Amino acid sequence: SARETPAPWCRPFGQMLARRFALPPVHEAKYEPRQIPNVQRDMAGTAIIRPPRELWLTLLGEMVQMVNEAVRRRASCARDASKPLSLEYMADRLDIDEPLVGYLVVTRAEGWLQGFVTYTTFTTWHRDFRWDSLNPVLDLHHAHGDSDGEDTSAVAAERPALLVDEDGALAVELQAQLHAGEPDGEGIVWPRIAELSLLGALGCGRQLVELVIANCEAEDSPYEFLVVQATDGSIPFYEKMGFRRVGAVTVRRRVGADDAEADAEWRPKPKPGAKRKLAAAAARAEPVLSPHTVYRVEGGDETVGEMADRLGMPVFDLMFLNKARLPGLHPDAQLKKGTRLLVPQPTRLDEVRAQSAATHHEWHIVPEDMPFKECARQLGIDPRELIRRQAGRPELKGLQVSSELLQGTRLQIRRAEYDSAEYCHWSFPDDDPAQAEPSYMMARRLRPRERRGTPVPGGALERLQPLMLAERPPVRPSGKRAAFIQAIEDAKIATDERRRVLEESAWHQVKEDVLFKKEADNLGILPSQLLSLNTGRLKGLQLSAWLKRDTWLRVKPGEGVGAADSEAPPPPQMHLVNRVVQIDGEDDSYAFWYVLTYLPDLQWCRVAPLESRGVFSRPSPDGHVAEGRPRWMLVPEEQGGEIDVGAGRCHIMEAVEMIKTKANADTEEWDIIGRAPPGWVEEQCEAAKRKKSKPKAAAGEGVDPLVGAALVLELVLRQKNAEPFSSPVDWKGLGLDDYPQVISRPMDLGTIQNKLRKGKYSSIGALAEDVGLIWANAMEYNQEGSPVYKAAAALKAFADKKLEPLQVAARKRAEAEAAASVNADSTPSSRAAASNTSN
């Protein structure tokens, strides 16, 4: 029933990893996501299912494609830059979350997925994690990406004030909750805090969240709080559901003289004589535990439950904190004399608040524009000392005693012994937070435990109970994709059946990477005998060889084995990443797609559509001729169109990169010739390997510098924020009356392109000088730190990087020509030499 709660509530220690294993291929939806109806307000025609854990991963492809459709529909009726959940993130959650509890919403008639939700126990893999809404490194009132707290975009201007944990009380309560675990293993588990981990819905998000809240507030639920990792677009929704933004940080003792003391807070002292490596390993394995005391059992006739009652604490808390040391612990377990138990200690909220405050730096917000020296005088701090305290802050790079401070500037006036950073949820200590999607931790208190005895009249459980089904209705295929997906699944079933027959006959498939000798021992076959059976078909096989997963071994001699050998080909290796593909069964809006992400184990691709923009007018730098052929480029990201598809429906196209921008696919141009012939992809991969193995030639060699410069100018114009530099500054229209007096030689990219077309540049150096003049003018006229100044600095770095190889190549060519000329002047011709000899 919907009231059932997950068991066990307490995550078993040692059963969770910080990285997912390879997973089987993902199945796509056999129906067209655009045909899925939105859920009606009264949920008529809708059913709810609570799938078992083993079923969730088989639904992964459907879930991703439904989320993509939800984002598409939202973007079509509202200006929303939200991105769908990635398949890899969802796979991680479904693979790792323990317990994994959730619901599916499907249409009763067709069985099509309309929504899903999962929740689990909150876990983090950061040893230094802390709930703290008042930490100065956080700005809970503004969205990520806001500039100095001011968002000038039209959407942000209309955004209502965020609901936040203003006084930090919610974060203090969260930090005081019981927690324990090993950061290098199963993670640090907070058993009283539930986390809503995945949510996707076509009109039923509110009902699904209400269902999760109702389950977490059940009488037998251990949860006191519910948290969620929200995105920009989902914040208003979660606020309506009772959540508010809460602070989460990682806090580390500053590197310095007190490092040893900082480490001693959580690391055990190495035993005398122990090896350094073993001591380091022991330090990493040390678990993080809530405040506790150690209790030694005096008698031998007391159960765990009786002891918890005597100590005045929930038996759940006592078992949780000791589960790693005593895995078989349960309420009726008899405690032996001398048993040592960790007993949780109640945490006072004022103590938690004081501990958090001790980690904070002290800041001063400049109330109005003023000289830096005046601000230092008001603070009573020596100006040079105040500058020193701003060290390591890139936003104040170049700060001097003579600087002018703008209103709202944040100055650090006291450094705590700890450095804090905003916590990046669902990440690991070695991840780069800068590469993660912006997220917002939000939390809500659940109904107090003393009020959970009676059901809520008209609550989610009562309203949604009639919609519950034990099994999902049969899925009705629809759309052009259905036949292709069914064919892929049929082929997989046939392949699995052939493998089953082979496994039952004379063949064995290696399940994981393993040594040859060990696999022979596992099979109960002499290694020498297994070697003789497979030497002819596995090149280079030796007794000491390392077998890869999915390798087929002949384990029995006999007739027909050779024929069976051909029935077990290695799985096809697809080189899909960064390829142009056609997709079977997709609509006719786009003919070609570019593979952004390819997950080989899941056989899944994230692709972006390509569109035709004019035709090519010149060959590529490598000499590929495509004049008059369509120029294919990526559809701008803000227009949407990215989708997730199974790799089995993708067909690689023979496509030539004309510019080879490498880092930025948005500016790349492709000449698409047709379906890639057999062996074309392998040839491209081999060519790339040979290119990497050869000594790297100097960039720009073999290319006319001015032809290369024309391509560089096009690349610069396609960069973000290049628009202000594409044409002459309209200083009259902009009211910049002093512009002619400040800038004596105006220059812009459009003017340089016109001069280049008319042949007015005799060298790459002259062109590079004009390009540099654009950035110099912009940075001279505009104030440092302004948007135009920053854009000019960024474009200058980009253009210099692209033009420098061309300039170097031009200098080398000029030097070679000069040397050849000198040699020609100093060496007599062959005819003159002959004449001198005869004389």
Side-chain angles (χ1 to χ4, degrees):
S1 74
R3 291 188 59 84
E4 291 176 352
T5 50
W9 285 103
C10 181
R11 181 193 310 272
F13 279 81
Q15 292 188 7
M16 177 171 170
L17 300 174
R19 291 286 191 275
R20 70 173 177 86
F21 287 115
L23 298 173
V26 171
H27 298 288
E28 291 191 77
K30 295 181 183 178
Y31 48 89
E32 177 54 56
R34 296 197 178 201
Q35 296 178 0
I36 306 173
N38 283 335
V39 176
Q40 300 181 29
R41 286 184 177 272
D42 60 356
M43 299 194 77
T46 293
I48 300 177
I49 303 105
R50 182 170 177 171
R53 184 184 188 105
E54 58 271 15
L55 187 60
W56 278 104
L57 277 174
T58 66
L59 301 169
L60 187 55
E62 266 188 272
M63 293 164 63
V64 171
Q65 290 178 329
M66 192 226 75
V67 169
N68 287 343
E69 177 60 17
V71 171
R72 187 193 68 80
R73 294 184 189 183
R74 180 180 175 87
S76 66
C77 61
R79 188 176 173 186
D80 186 1
S82 297
K83 288 191 175 184
L85 295 171
S86 71
L87 178 133
E88 195 161 25
Y89 172 79
M90 294 173 69
D92 277 347
R93 299 305 311 239
L94 296 179
D95 187 33
I96 292 177
D97 283 354
E98 179 63 41
L100 176 64
V101 189
Y103 296 92
L104 297 179
V105 175
V106 299
T107 58
R108 282 184 179 267
E110 302 87 2
W112 296 348
L113 184 63
Q114 294 177 297
F116 61 86
V117 68
T118 64
Y119 67 98
T120 186
T121 300
F122 179 76
T123 304
T124 176
W125 284 267
H126 290 264
R127 180 180 295 276
D128 313 298
F129 171 84
R130 189 173 188 87
W131 299 100
D132 183 1
S133 296
L134 302 183
N135 197 299
V137 302
L138 303 174
D139 184 6
L140 300 185
H141 288 277
H142 298 97
H144 290 296
D146 291 359
S147 177
D148 295 328
E150 296 179 359
D151 194 331
T152 57
S153 69
V155 176
E158 299 173 359
R159 180 188 295 146
L162 300 176
L163 295 178
V164 304
D165 181 25
E166 295 281 2
D167 58 0
L170 181 55
V172 168
E173 292 177 39
L174 289 167
Q175 182 61 33
Q177 296 303 305
L178 181 71
H179 57 277
E182 194 174 306
D184 299 323
E186 80 287 346
I188 303 169
V189 183
W190 300 67
R192 296 295 188 186
I193 303 176
E195 179 188 1
L196 197 156
S197 50
L198 294 176
L199 174 65
L202 295 173
C204 56
R206 178 178 60 81
Q207 291 91 333
L208 287 174
V209 174
E210 287 177 345
L211 196 55
V212 170
I213 293 173
N215 274 298
C216 291
E217 291 181 343
E219 187 175 6
D220 55 350
S221 165
Y223 297 130
E224 307 285 349
F225 300 87
L226 178 61
V227 300
V228 66
Q229 175 191 7
T231 58
D232 268 324
S234 65
I235 288 178
F237 167 77
Y238 284 115
E239 287 181 339
K240 292 177 183 177
M241 301 303 299
F243 291 82
R244 61 181 55 240
R245 193 171 173 192
V246 66
V249 296
T250 55
V251 180
R252 289 285 293 175
R253 194 84 174 239
R254 270 194 293 111
V255 176
D258 296 333
D259 281 355
E261 180 183 345
D263 290 346
E265 294 178 4
W266 53 272
R267 289 185 178 174
K269 295 181 180 179
K271 296 180 180 179
K275 291 184 178 180
R276 183 177 302 174
K277 185 179 292 185
L278 292 177
R284 286 195 300 271
E286 183 71 11
V288 173
L289 300 171
S290 291
H292 62 277
T293 59
V294 179
Y295 178 84
R296 185 181 296 273
V297 178
E298 298 297 338
D301 56 351
E302 192 174 30
T303 66
V304 175
E306 291 169 346
M307 179 180 176
D309 292 339
R310 181 167 56 80
L311 296 175
M313 68 176 57
V315 66
F316 173 89
D317 292 2
L318 189 62
M319 290 193 303
F320 171 80
L321 206 58
N322 291 276
K323 197 169 186 67
R325 300 172 55 255
L326 303 170
L329 210 59
H330 57 86
D332 297 325
Q334 201 82 18
L335 295 173
K336 294 181 179 180
K337 183 177 181 179
T339 301
R340 296 172 68 252
L341 290 176
L342 304 181
V343 178
Q345 292 298 296
T347 305
R348 293 176 50 188
L349 299 184
D350 56 343
E351 292 178 355
V352 175
R353 194 180 294 274
Q355 292 167 2
S356 296
T359 68
H360 297 174
H361 300 310
E362 188 175 345
W363 298 83
H364 171 72
I365 309 298
V366 178
E368 58 184 357
D369 295 355
M370 66 173 61
F372 179 82
K373 291 180 70 174
E374 174 60 21
C375 183
R377 187 191 66 78
Q378 292 180 8
L379 293 171
I381 302 174
D382 180 76
R384 298 192 180 280
E385 171 61 20
L386 189 57
I387 287 179
R388 189 188 66 79
R389 295 180 186 181
Q390 315 313 311
R393 298 184 60 200
E395 68 272 23
L396 294 181
K397 184 179 179 181
L399 183 65
Q400 301 177 3
V401 173
S402 59
S403 296
E404 290 286 327
L405 297 178
L406 299 178
Q407 181 183 0
T409 302
R410 298 171 75 242
L411 296 177
Q412 189 176 93
I413 59 177
R414 183 186 68 84
R415 294 199 70 182
E417 295 182 359
Y418 300 84
D419 285 327
S420 302
E422 186 167 5
Y423 174 64
C424 184
H425 186 51
W426 198 249
S427 64
F428 305 97
D430 56 344
D431 289 341
D432 181 5
Q435 302 300 319
E437 288 291 330
S439 64
Y440 307 83
M441 290 300 297
M442 302 185 74
R444 62 162 285 164
R445 297 178 180 89
L446 296 173
R447 195 156 53 131
R449 188 163 302 281
E450 58 272 13
R451 292 169 48 198
R452 296 187 186 182
T454 57
V456 179
L461 293 176
E462 181 180 315
R463 287 186 288 106
L464 300 178
Q465 182 63 41
L467 304 179
M468 298 287 181
L469 294 181
E471 295 183 355
R472 181 180 183 177
V475 177
R476 179 171 66 81
S478 74
K480 293 188 295 184
R481 64 165 59 196
F484 294 102
I485 295 172
Q486 188 62 53
I488 292 170
E489 292 187 3
D490 290 345
K492 182 180 182 300
I493 292 173
T495 300
D496 291 343
E497 178 62 19
R498 286 199 304 271
R499 290 186 176 181
R500 185 188 65 79
V501 172
L502 289 171
E503 287 176 354
E504 292 177 356
S505 60
W507 293 90
H508 167 72
Q509 186 181 22
V510 177
K511 303 301 182 185
E512 60 182 356
D513 294 355
V514 66
L515 284 170
F516 180 83
K517 280 188 173 182
K518 185 174 181 181
E519 191 69 1
D521 293 340
N522 294 338
L523 293 170
I525 302 174
L526 289 174
S528 58
Q529 181 183 355
L530 188 62
L531 181 65
S532 65
L533 288 172
N534 293 275
T535 300
R537 52 181 299 277
L538 295 178
K539 186 178 179 180
L541 185 63
Q542 300 176 1
L543 292 176
S544 59
W546 188 267
L547 297 175
K548 292 186 177 180
R549 191 182 67 171
D550 294 333
T551 300
W552 286 90
L553 294 175
R554 184 188 298 176
V555 294
K556 295 179 183 178
E559 296 181 1
V561 174
D565 191 15
S566 62
E567 293 291 326
Q573 186 175 11
M574 302 186 72
H575 304 275
L576 283 172
V577 69
N578 295 338
R579 298 291 180 192
V580 175
V581 298
Q582 275 185 332
I583 302 175
D584 287 336
E586 282 306 309
D587 57 36
D588 300 326
S589 301
Y590 300 106
F592 304 111
W593 305 77
Y594 177 73
V595 180
L596 300 169
T597 306
Y598 171 51
L599 304 177
D601 61 326
L602 301 174
Q603 284 294 287
W604 197 259
C605 298
R606 177 79 176 168
V607 297
L610 295 170
E611 62 183 3
S612 178
R613 298 188 200 167
V615 297
F616 290 107
S617 59
R618 63 168 68 90
S620 73
D622 290 345
H624 176 76
V625 178
E627 281 91 345
R629 294 177 58 79
R631 175 193 288 114
W632 293 91
M633 299 186 69
L634 281 171
V635 172
E637 187 175 3
E638 58 271 15
Q639 292 184 21
E642 294 182 11
I643 61 173
D644 288 86
V645 297
R649 288 200 290 140
C650 297
H651 298 280
I652 298 177
M653 306 301 294
E654 183 178 353
V656 178
E657 294 180 2
M658 298 295 287
I659 297 181
K660 298 185 183 298
T661 55
K662 294 182 181 180
N664 188 1
D666 289 310
T667 59
E668 185 56 80
E669 300 172 357
W670 286 271
D671 175 29
I672 301 176
I673 300 169
R675 285 276 180 100
W680 180 82
V681 177
E682 289 73 16
E683 290 177 6
Q684 298 295 308
C685 294
E686 288 300 321
K689 290 180 181 178
R690 289 194 299 270
K691 187 175 180 181
K692 287 183 178 180
S693 62
K694 289 181 180 179
K696 191 174 180 180
E701 287 185 2
V703 179
D704 184 328
L706 291 178
V707 173
L711 295 175
V712 170
L713 291 175
E714 291 183 10
L715 287 177
V716 174
L717 282 167
R718 292 192 184 115
Q719 298 302 303
K720 184 180 178 181
N721 299 328
E723 178 62 28
F725 310 99
S726 62
S727 58
V729 175
D730 181 13
W731 58 270
K732 290 183 179 179
L734 296 172
L736 308 176
D737 298 332
D738 61 339
Y739 190 81
Q741 286 75 41
V742 178
I743 304 301
S744 58
R745 289 181 57 204
M747 187 54 63
D748 63 276
L749 293 169
T751 299
I752 294 175
Q753 282 186 317
N754 289 333
K755 290 174 66 176
L756 183 60
R757 291 192 193 101
K758 296 176 181 178
K760 292 188 176 182
Y761 287 113
S762 58
S763 67
I764 183 68
L767 182 143
E769 182 179 345
D770 276 357
V771 173
L773 183 60
I774 299 174
W775 323 128
N777 289 345
M779 289 191 282
E780 180 178 355
Y781 187 79
N782 294 278
Q783 183 179 2
E784 183 176 358
S786 66
V788 175
Y789 188 100
K790 291 180 178 178
L795 291 171
K796 178 182 184 302
F798 179 82
D800 289 350
K801 182 179 179 180
K802 295 294 182 182
L803 289 172
E804 183 180 5
L806 298 174
Q807 292 177 275
V808 171
R811 284 197 296 270
K812 288 184 177 180
R813 184 179 301 177
E815 292 170 359
E817 291 174 354
S821 175
V822 170
N823 291 335
D825 292 340
S826 60
T827 304
S829 67
S830 57
R831 181 175 298 180
S835 174
N836 291 337
T837 302
S838 63
N839 290 336

